[in-house]
Amino acid sequence: MASTVSTGKLIGAFNDVKGKTFYIIFEETYDSNTYPRTPKWCARAIGDLAAMMRLIFWSGSSAEGGMLKGTGGKSITPEGYIGGFMKELANPVEIQDQRFELSVGDGWDAVIGRAEFPKTLAKLEAIGESEMACALDQGQTVSVSLFEHADALSAIFDGVDLGAWRILKAYNTPVYAMRNPALGYAPAKVKPPLVTLPRVVRISQDDANLLVQHDDGSWRCDGWNYSYVANYITGLWETELKYPGSFRSLIKSYRDALAGAPVMPSDDVTIVVDTSVALGAYAAENVQRIQREFDCKTIDGAIHIPFSADFDFRYHVTHLPVEAAKWVFGGKEEAAPQRQAEQLCLLAS
């Protein structure tokens, strides 16, 4: 499976005309399935501290499942990846003011793609840049300054819908620019908060899939162990802003707790599929296959499937759509499969 290989990290920083600090995140990468494997710098996003943290943690979460690698294709941890960018945030290179020409066009290298423009339009209007939004909508080219229009540029090139590489070209990456720690983010570490874990059990000793109890009390299979950890990391940036320096211990505590989750009992377990939920073609085909190949009953319009430890069975039922399939223990939807699955609060050490 292809992965992104990260070979370099860089953060640039500047103060806009109002004195607010903005950052630009640069990353040197290559794709493992492309040849030659030549690392290239890319300006990913422009934004304030919160925007940078959100993007860094979101990107770092990909390392949990192996989709993000380090130099030479070596495995890395989300903590290591995030930590590398946190060092860059503490001592960024200083960015000088520059001008850009914004326009809406077609093609992969358009400054603002026509397909992405509706979202861009909404973002600009949301921050009070209606005049700029109107000009772009009318097909005009708008000249902007990095320092004067930082809010608008960060809204447009947030690294989610549009990357900053569309206006900041790779050959201008400020690798050798002067560092200015006065523009950096280097807060003192504070004691981490408690980690609140979901109620979770493993399906079997040799199965990476987990069952988690949702807010409505139902138990559902949302995916593999690593996907839960990755989702946790994605949203951890806000906690890191409140409790600087806590991300490493919090991620470790969460990962260790899920890895040590108890195995559910294999007897008296039923998977109930709600047939009233609209399904896509693949999901519907999977449900039909299970009905053909396994012992199922239809009760009040819902398909009831007795659990089996058979590998093929587990594969199919764990790929049922989360919104339609719930796991019932002992005939009670809210029943806990084991006492050890009670919600835990661990103090990250």
Side-chain angles (χ1 to χ4, degrees):
M1 184 178 292
S3 58
T4 297
V5 180
S6 178
T7 56
K9 302 175 180 66
L10 184 70
I11 295 287
F14 64 92
N15 287 332
D16 72 352
V17 293
K18 299 176 183 178
K20 180 180 178 180
T21 302
F22 284 83
Y23 300 92
I24 303 175
I25 182 170
F26 301 89
E27 189 168 11
E28 186 186 50
T29 64
Y30 67 84
D31 291 329
S32 64
N33 64 341
T34 60
Y35 296 91
R37 292 175 172 173
T38 305
K40 295 181 180 179
W41 282 102
C42 174
R44 296 189 55 194
I46 302 171
D48 59 13
L49 178 61
M52 291 297 103
M53 294 289 280
R54 182 167 54 246
L55 185 60
I56 290 168
F57 276 73
W58 174 61
S59 299
S61 69
S62 297
E64 189 69 21
M67 295 302 293
L68 178 65
K69 302 284 189 181
T71 302
K74 296 180 180 178
S75 295
I76 59 174
T77 64
E79 300 96 307
Y81 177 88
I82 293 168
F85 268 119
M86 295 302 289
K87 289 181 180 178
E88 286 294 322
L89 271 175
N91 190 25
V93 298
E94 186 167 0
I95 300 294
Q96 302 302 315
D97 195 12
Q98 46 197 299
R99 299 198 68 84
F100 308 104
E101 302 297 314
L102 303 183
S103 61
V104 180
D106 298 305
W108 67 270
D109 59 346
V111 177
I112 301 173
R114 208 170 299 281
E116 292 83 16
F117 183 62
K119 290 183 178 179
T120 300
L121 189 66
K123 291 176 183 178
L124 289 174
E125 291 177 343
I127 62 172
E129 289 285 357
S130 298
E131 185 176 344
M132 182 185 297
C134 183
L136 290 170
D137 193 28
Q138 293 175 355
Q140 299 178 29
T141 296
V142 179
S143 180
V144 295
S145 156
L146 181 62
F147 286 12
E148 186 179 351
H149 302 94
D151 280 317
L153 291 172
S154 63
I156 298 171
F157 304 106
D158 59 2
V160 178
D161 295 314
L162 289 173
W165 58 266
R166 292 172 180 265
I167 56 173
L168 293 163
K169 303 306 179 182
Y171 54 77
N172 278 335
T173 302
V175 178
Y176 302 107
M178 293 292 292
R179 298 275 176 171
N180 187 352
L183 292 171
Y185 172 71
K189 292 184 178 181
V190 300
K191 184 179 179 180
L194 294 175
V195 182
T196 302
L197 302 173
R199 301 183 72 187
V200 57
V201 292
R202 287 180 291 170
I203 291 177
S204 73
Q205 194 70 41
D206 62 346
D207 198 314
N209 286 287
L210 298 177
L211 298 183
V212 171
Q213 189 170 39
H214 286 218
D215 292 339
D216 63 357
S218 64
W219 289 85
R220 299 179 187 269
C221 180
D222 291 308
W224 289 359
N225 187 315
Y226 81 84
S227 64
Y228 288 99
V229 179
N231 288 338
Y232 175 72
I233 294 170
T234 297
L236 193 60
W237 66 273
E238 291 182 285
T239 302
E240 176 62 23
L241 283 176
K242 295 178 182 177
Y243 303 91
S246 64
F247 71 92
R248 291 183 185 276
S249 58
L250 293 178
I251 293 172
K252 183 179 184 302
S253 293
Y254 195 90
R255 183 188 292 120
D256 290 348
L258 292 190
V263 177
M264 74 173 197
S266 59
D267 57 326
D268 204 13
V269 180
T270 304
I271 299 95
V272 179
V273 181
D274 184 355
T275 56
S276 67
V277 176
L279 302 177
Y282 175 79
E285 182 182 347
N286 194 27
V287 172
Q288 293 169 5
R289 182 187 299 110
I290 289 174
Q291 286 182 290
R292 290 194 305 268
E293 298 180 5
F294 301 103
D295 181 25
C296 305
K297 295 180 180 179
T298 301
I299 303 174
D300 296 330
I303 303 171
H304 288 238
I305 313 166
F307 178 76
S308 168
D310 176 74
F311 177 84
D312 288 338
F313 176 87
R314 282 187 286 142
Y315 175 83
H316 289 301
V317 296
T318 54
H319 284 74
L320 287 168
V322 176
E323 64 276 14
K326 57 187 176 183
W327 296 57
V328 179
F329 301 91
K332 298 180 180 180
E333 293 184 17
E334 296 82 10
Q338 286 195 16
R339 289 186 62 187
Q340 297 97 310
E342 290 299 318
Q343 183 169 343
L344 302 175
C345 286
L346 300 180
L347 180 61
S349 56

